[in-house]
Structure formats: structure tokens, C-alpha cells
């Protein structure tokens, strides 16, 4: 009997110890590059960091839902970053109203992949962010998956303030051709970390983005006019150069593979950017025929933004110029990016849906499905747009 009571007592004590440890002394452990040492944060600190970052990334969708702008200055610990964020959110509040972009609700997740301690009270974090939201004008589900960011936070008292923020799409370089590959994702993360550590270079980058926000804010009516032309028909007096494009097939392929990779093709996401490779697959599935070394899997015109555009235009597959007028489902959009690594046409997406605000697109790098083009253009990064409209 004594042994049974002793065993019961030890068991209860063990359970109590485990529960007490999990609630009071639990730690969250992350890899800390490049030394591969372990950095431990309490659950309360880890939760506070995630809450603060998630609030900042959620803000645009909260604005999209309410058309109201609430300052997040209590979370930002750098005056220039705060200026950029406040001006961006003010622009979005006005922009969403002008183009009638409104969300019913949204659901987001944020994962911290890595925390590196820079000093006694500063930390650099790699995070991934995903969002699902429904658009009120069509009840279409839009989503973005595994957006990559780097944040620097400074701990003051019991709170963590965001002092630097970098969207890794501002660092990506798409493959130039099939033999001259760009940086790997791991190298991209490393380069971005070094960029964010260089205070002068980072400050110049933020200053440039503030200038871009000022510019698009001053020209908001011009951008809205272009946005509203998306479904305007343009009379075509010439005979179609190609009539074999099946837009529905291209759209269906895009929606099927937006968040995964067809194993029949090389995945260029590992080399910096898969966007044009993905869109080439879509339009090929829709009926644009391969052409040997001119346009087929892994050729320069298949994987590179500008080469894809030049090939489609010169081969007679497109109509109506670069404006949004006359664009339709299955057509392609390209965006001009004021990146850290150099401004250029650098992103290719395909139109897969429509909402009251305009076209929805699907893409790789960042993976997105039926995402409103009005939420990525214009921005402090994407400052110009062109449409590739196929004969169909």
C-alpha cells in the first residue's frame, strides 16, 4: 500500500512539474545564423514579437476591410520606417475607395523561421506570412502564400519595437537565362540580412520608397483611371495573327499550380524567381506552342520577364499594345519593380479572375492565387505596368 501511495505521489508531482514548466519556464528555440547556435526566447516574448509583426503585415487587409486607417506608431521604433508605413497606409485608404477594393474578412498566419541576436537588445528575424481573404464585390477568395520578410526589432522594457523591415521581393533577381542563374534563396536571405545591417544603405532605400509613395499619392487619379480601363474593349480591325489560345485552359492550369510546382518543369524559385517560368507553363497549356530554342522550357524567353515579353510581341501572339484596355482572362501582366538590386521589369503574372476592383491574378514568387492586381500596383515597389493581351 505504501509503495502504491508513493508511486501515485511521484506521478502527481511529475505531472505538476511538467505543467508548471510549460506555463512558466517554456522557451522558444530558433536557429541563429551563421554560428548555428541556439537563441532562446520565452513564450511571452515570442508571442509579443509575432503579434507586433503580424499587426503591421495585417494592416493593409484591415484597411481593405474597413477603408479606415489606424496608426501603428506604437509598434515602430524608427522614424523613417514609420513615415513610410504611415504614408503607405494613408495611400491605401484612399486607393481602395477609388478602385472599390474591399475585403469581407481575412485570416493570416505568421511563422518565425530564424532569430539572430545582434546586440543586447536588437534582433533580426526571418518570417513567412500567408493571408486568405474574401472580396466583398464577388465573394472570391484571394490568397498569398509564404511571403518572405526580414525584420529588425529592438527590445525596450517589455515590448519589441520594429526598427527595420524588408520585403524579400525587393531583393529577388529573376533568372537571366538558363545558364546564368541568379543567387540561391539561401544566398538571397544572407544578402538581405547584410543589407539590413548596413544602416546607411538601408536608410537610402527607405528614403527612395518614401519618395515613390509620395509620387503615386500625387498621381492617384491617373493610376485609378488606368485601373478602371481594364475591361474596356478596344476595336480590332486587323485579323488575329493567332487564334489557338484557350484562355480557360491557361487559367485552370494557373489555379491548379499556383501553390505548388509541376514536376515536369524545373523550379526556378530555388534560384531567385519562378514567376515567368510559371506563366510560360500556363500560356503553353492554353495553346501558345513551343518553338524549340526560341521559346520552350528553360530557354531565356521562357523564364525571363523581358525576353518573354519580346518573344510574345514579336511572334504575333499579342494585340492592342501594353495598356489595360481590352485585357481578358488568361492574359498576362508584367510589373516594373523599383528593387534594391536595380529597377527593371521583373515580375510576370497571369489574370485568373475578376472582382469589382478589377483583375485578379495568380503567380509564383510570391505564390498568389486570385490576388487583386490593385493591391500590388501602384506601390512603392511596383511603379509601372504593362499587359500582354493574346488573340483569343
Amino acid at each position: 500500500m505504501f509503495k502504491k501511495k508513493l508511486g501515485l505521489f511521484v506521478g502527481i508531482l511529475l505531472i505538476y512539474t511538467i505543467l508548471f514548466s510549460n506555463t512558466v519556464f517554456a522557451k522558444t528555440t530558433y536557429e541563429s545564423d551563421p554560428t548555428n547556435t541556439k537563441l532562446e526566447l520565452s513564450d511571452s516574448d515570442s508571442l509579443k514579437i509575432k503579434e507586433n509583426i503580424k499587426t503591421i503585415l495585417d494592416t493593409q487587409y484591415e484597411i481593405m476591410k474597413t477603408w479606415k486607417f489606424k496608426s501603428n506608431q506604437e509598434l515602430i521604433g524608427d522614424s523613417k520606417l514609420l513615415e513610410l508605413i504611415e504614408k503607405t497606409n494613408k495611400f491605401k485608404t484612399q486607393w481602395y475607395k477609388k478602385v472599390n477594393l474591399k475585403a469581407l474578412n481575412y485570416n493570416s498566419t505568421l511563422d518565425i523561421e530564424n532569430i539572430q541576436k545582434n546586440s543586447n537588445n536588437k534582433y533580426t528575424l526571418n518570417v513567412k506570412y500567408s493571408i486568405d481573404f474574401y472580396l466583398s464585390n464577388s465573394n472570391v477568395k484571394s490568397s498569398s502564400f509564404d511571403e518572405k520578410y526580414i525584420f529588425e526589432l529592438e527590445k525596450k522594457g517589455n515590448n519589441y519595437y520594429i526598427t527595420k523591415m524588408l520585403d524579400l521581393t525587393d531583393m529577388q533577381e529573376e533568372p537571366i537565362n538558363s545558364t546564368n542563374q541568379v543567387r540561391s534563396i539561401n544566398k538571397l536571405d544572407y544578402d538581405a540580412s547584410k543589407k539590413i545591417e548596413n544602416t546607411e544603405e538601408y536608410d537610402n532605400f527607405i528614403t527612395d520608397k518614401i519618395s515613390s509613395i509620395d509620387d503615386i499619392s500625387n498621381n492617384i487619379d491617373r493610376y485609378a483611371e488606368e485601373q478602371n480601363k481594364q475591361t474596356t474593349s478596344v476595336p480590332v480591325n486587323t485579323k488575329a495573327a493567332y487564334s489557338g489560345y484557350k484562355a480557360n485552359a491557361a487559367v485552370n492550369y494557373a489555379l491548379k499550380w499556383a501553390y505548388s510546382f509541376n514536376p515536369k518543369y524545373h523550379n526556378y524559385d530555388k534560384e531567385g524567381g519562378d514567376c515567368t517560368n510559371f506563366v510560360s507553363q500556363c500560356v503553353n497549356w492554353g495553346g501558345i506552342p513551343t518553338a524549340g530554342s526560341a521559346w520552350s522550357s528553360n530557354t531565356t524567353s521562357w523564364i525571363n520577364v523581358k525576353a518573354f515579353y519580346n518573344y510574345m510581341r514579336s511572334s504575333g501572339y499579342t494585340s492592342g499594345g501594353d495598356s489595360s484596355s481590352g485585357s481578358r482572362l488568361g492574359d498576362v501582366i508584367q510589373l516594373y519593380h523599383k528593387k534594391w538590386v536595380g529597377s527593371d521589369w521583373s515580375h510576370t503574372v497571369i489574370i485568373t479572375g475578376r472582382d469589382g476592383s478589377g483583375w485578379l491574378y495568380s503567380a509564383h514568387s510570391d505564390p498568389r492565387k486570385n490576388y487583386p492586381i490593385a493591391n500590388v500596383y501602384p506601390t512603392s515597389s511596383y511603379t509601372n505596368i504593362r499587359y500582354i493581351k493574346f488573340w483569343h
Side-chain angles (χ1 to χ4, degrees):
M1 178 66 70
F2 175 76
K3 290 183 178 180
K4 289 183 178 180
K5 289 183 177 180
L6 179 62
L8 179 61
F9 174 76
V10 171
I12 293 173
L13 181 62
L14 180 61
I15 293 172
Y16 175 80
T17 302
I18 292 172
L19 290 174
F20 185 77
S21 173
N22 284 342
T23 56
V24 179
F25 299 109
K27 300 286 185 180
T28 304
T29 304
Y30 300 92
E31 291 284 345
S32 181
D33 291 333
T35 61
N36 203 36
T37 58
K38 299 292 183 179
L39 175 64
E40 291 187 339
L41 291 174
S42 67
D43 280 357
S44 61
D45 280 357
S46 179
L47 181 60
K48 175 58 68 175
I49 288 172
K50 290 185 72 171
E51 284 178 346
N52 289 357
I53 293 176
K54 191 169 178 293
T55 296
I56 294 300
L57 296 179
D58 280 350
T59 296
Q60 64 176 313
Y61 300 101
E62 189 62 29
I63 295 173
M64 195 186 298
K65 180 180 177 181
T66 63
W67 285 358
K68 294 179 181 179
F69 165 40
K70 178 183 176 182
S71 175
N72 291 313
Q73 60 182 354
E74 73 279 1
L75 303 179
I76 308 300
D78 177 78
S79 59
K80 292 189 72 171
L81 178 60
L82 177 61
E83 181 182 2
L84 173 62
I85 291 174
E86 299 280 86
K87 286 187 173 183
T88 298
N89 291 337
K90 181 179 179 181
F91 169 79
K92 286 184 176 293
T93 303
Q94 298 171 335
W95 175 250
Y96 293 159
K97 291 178 183 178
K98 279 189 174 291
V99 299
N100 197 29
L101 178 57
K102 193 172 184 64
L104 289 171
N105 50 55
Y106 63 89
N107 179 56
S108 64
T109 59
L110 185 139
D111 296 313
I112 299 176
E113 292 194 308
N114 175 282
I115 297 180
Q116 181 175 337
K117 191 172 184 179
N118 302 329
S119 64
N120 289 335
N121 60 349
K122 285 194 174 182
Y123 303 82
T124 301
L125 296 78
N126 290 71
V127 305
K128 284 186 177 181
Y129 176 81
S130 299
I131 181 87
D132 295 324
F133 56 101
Y134 285 87
L135 296 167
S136 63
N137 293 305
S138 59
N139 204 29
V140 171
K141 181 181 178 181
S142 295
S143 57
S144 182
F145 180 68
D146 273 359
E147 298 175 15
K148 299 178 179 66
Y149 297 87
I150 292 181
F151 285 85
E152 179 190 83
L153 292 93
E154 182 176 11
K155 186 176 184 181
K156 292 182 179 180
N158 294 323
N159 201 5
Y160 287 85
Y161 298 89
I162 298 169
T163 52
K164 292 181 181 179
M165 172 182 171
L166 179 63
D167 183 345
L168 285 187
T169 58
D170 288 324
M171 294 289 294
Q172 286 181 345
E173 296 178 55
E174 200 185 44
I176 298 170
N177 54 54
S178 57
T179 58
N180 183 15
Q181 299 305 326
V182 298
R183 298 168 296 175
S184 68
I185 290 297
N186 289 338
K187 183 65 163 57
L188 177 67
D189 289 348
Y190 176 78
D191 287 350
S193 296
K194 292 302 180 185
K195 291 276 190 183
I196 209 168
E197 289 173 11
N198 188 322
T199 300
E200 182 179 359
E201 189 173 5
Y202 176 81
D203 284 349
N204 290 336
F205 177 66
I206 295 299
T207 298
D208 184 63
K209 292 181 81 68
I210 291 172
S211 177
S212 293
I213 281 292
D214 288 339
D215 181 67
I216 64 174
S217 296
N218 292 333
N219 293 282
I220 190 170
D221 290 332
R222 176 171 61 83
Y223 286 111
E225 183 180 359
E226 171 66 18
Q227 177 75 10
N228 293 331
K229 289 180 179 178
Q230 287 182 358
T231 57
T232 302
S233 297
V234 176
V236 178
N237 298 319
T238 57
K239 184 179 179 180
Y242 179 73
S243 59
Y245 189 61
K246 304 296 187 293
N248 287 340
V251 169
N252 290 337
Y253 183 96
L255 294 174
K256 177 180 179 179
W257 294 103
Y259 287 163
S260 57
F261 297 91
N262 188 333
K264 295 181 180 179
Y265 300 93
H266 183 75
N267 172 12
Y268 286 96
D269 195 47
K270 297 177 180 178
E271 283 109 41
D274 193 64
C275 64
T276 307
N277 179 45
F278 171 66
V279 169
S280 287
Q281 295 169 38
C282 296
V283 300
N284 176 235
W285 193 259
I288 302 298
T290 57
S293 60
W295 188 71
S296 59
S297 181
N298 299 322
T299 60
T300 301
S301 55
W302 182 280
I303 66 174
N304 178 262
V305 176
K306 292 187 292 184
F308 176 90
Y309 171 87
N310 291 334
Y311 174 77
M312 293 301 164
R313 289 296 298 270
S314 63
S315 299
Y317 292 121
T318 67
S319 65
D322 293 347
S323 72
S324 58
S325 299
S327 52
R328 294 177 283 180
L329 289 172
D331 288 344
V332 170
I333 296 173
Q334 292 191 330
L335 294 159
Y336 187 90
H337 198 170
K338 291 193 69 175
K339 300 183 297 180
W340 198 323
V341 294
S343 301
D344 208 344
W345 294 100
S346 66
H347 196 35
T348 308
V349 306
I350 183 168
I351 299 172
T352 55
R354 177 158 180 81
D355 173 68
S357 66
W359 291 126
L360 311 176
Y361 73 88
S362 297
H364 278 187
S365 308
D366 291 327
R368 283 175 171 163
K369 185 183 293 187
N370 275 338
Y371 195 88
I373 194 67
N375 203 39
V376 297
Y377 175 81
T379 64
S380 62
S381 293
Y382 291 122
T383 57
N384 205 353
I385 193 169
R386 63 188 181 190
Y387 288 72
I388 300 173
K389 295 167 288 190
F390 295 102
W391 295 101
H392 59 101

